[in-house]
Amino acid sequence: MFVLVGDAELNEGANWEAILHAGSRKLVNLTLIVVDNASGSLALGSLEDKLRPFGWEAETVGGRDHAALERALRQRSDGPTAVVAELREAA
């Protein structure tokens, strides 16, 4: 099962409750894809570092790098997996 969210949606507590539940239940068939385009009102910092303590395997890749996205989406672990797809505009 795949879940697609934007970084701004992770400013909501209910999403983190679901993330905690999925990690504690070791839902191996769950993949969270976070489109990180810095649109959130709060800067969350490293999403990888925030997801791992919740029991998730997490990886950040370039959101426009199709090969890296495919490789990350094929990864499997003993719990849920998160792929953070960074889509930052060049300065």
Side-chain angles (χ1 to χ4, degrees):
M1 174 184 293
F2 293 91
V3 177
L4 177 64
V5 299
D7 61 312
E9 292 175 277
L10 295 181
N11 288 328
E12 298 293 329
N15 289 313
W16 288 100
E17 290 176 20
I19 288 167
L20 175 62
H21 181 74
S24 69
R25 297 290 182 219
K26 297 191 179 290
L27 301 180
V28 297
N29 63 338
L30 180 61
T31 300
L32 174 68
I33 304 166
V34 181
V35 177
D36 184 4
N37 60 3
S39 65
S41 59
L42 299 174
L44 294 175
S46 170
L47 291 172
E48 277 186 58
D49 292 343
K50 291 194 175 20
L51 289 162
R52 286 192 178 118
F54 284 84
W56 288 68
E57 181 63 36
E59 181 178 358
T60 300
V61 298
R64 292 178 177 86
D65 184 342
H66 295 181
L69 282 166
E70 181 179 6
R71 182 189 44 73
L73 290 169
R74 291 183 184 275
Q75 295 292 332
R76 291 292 156 237
S77 68
D78 60 353
T81 302
V83 177
V84 180
E86 284 191 336
L87 293 172
R88 312 250 177 192
E89 292 300 320

